[in-house]
Amino acid sequence: MLPPSQPTGEFSLAAIDLNDCAQGAWEAIIDRDQLLATRARLVGAKPIHNGTARRWLLSGIAVCSVCGKTVRSARGITHPTARRSDGSKAPSKTYHSNRCIDGHFHRNGAVIDELIEEICIARLAEPDAVTSFPNPDDGVDVAKLHAQRSAAQGRRDALIAMVSDGTHHSR
């Protein structure tokens, strides 16, 4: 399912109404019940990470080929030389980068992220991609989750109705 677009920098998983999502042109990897169960676990959950460890694709996952330590995200800064006709330099710019924490390399992260995205998309487009994902029985009771979601939606709708018609009294 493809969610409707959201403004850049304002992504909210909770704001996506699954009824507004478009059906993809490919076979689903998970069914709707699994999607709802997973979404219920993720929406409102505080991320378990420190800083930007997973903001970029390889940060904290890739390792340096020299020392074996994990790659981290960093901010690179361009240092332009005087090449303009008037002898002035272009302004410095900052960019996302990947680096070894011991300094063995420092590379433009956007280029690397783009390559990794292309590789992942190509792999997921293969007919056997679904076999790459384990299907553990994690004991999730999908029917119970549906019932809990329906109950919560009913309580929310009742509260909205009370507030909108003025029957809600604060203490």
Side-chain angles (χ1 to χ4, degrees), residues 7 46 67 74 77 106 109 125 154 162:
K46 185 177 178 187
C67 66
I77 302 172
H106 190 143
M162 286 173 40

Side-chain angles (χ1 to χ4, degrees), residues 86-151:
D86 64 358
S88 66
K89 293 182 182 180
S92 292
K93 295 180 183 176
T94 60
Y95 59 93
H96 155 62
S97 62
N98 291 318
R99 68 174 178 84
C100 167
I101 59 175
D102 281 347
H104 294 116
F105 75 92
H106 190 143
R107 299 288 183 268
N108 185 321
V111 174
I112 296 170
D113 285 357
E114 186 177 322
L115 174 65
I116 297 303
E117 286 173 10
E118 289 175 11
I119 291 169
C120 290
I121 290 169
R123 176 62 183 109
L124 291 171
E126 294 294 322
D128 68 337
V130 73
T131 62
S132 299
F133 298 96
N135 190 12
D137 180 14
D138 62 1
V140 173
D141 184 347
V142 175
K144 182 178 176 182
L145 289 173
H146 281 305
Q148 289 173 343
R149 182 191 53 172
S150 295

Side-chain angles (χ1 to χ4, degrees), residues 60-80:
I61 297 173
V63 294
C64 174
S65 65
V66 176
C67 66
K69 292 185 178 174
T70 56
V71 171
R72 296 289 179 211
S73 64
R75 190 178 327 172
I77 302 172
T78 62
H79 299 284

Side-chain angles (χ1 to χ4, degrees), residues 1 17-21 32:
M1 296 180 70
D17 183 351
L18 292 179
N19 295 321
D20 293 338
C21 294
R32 187 174 177 87

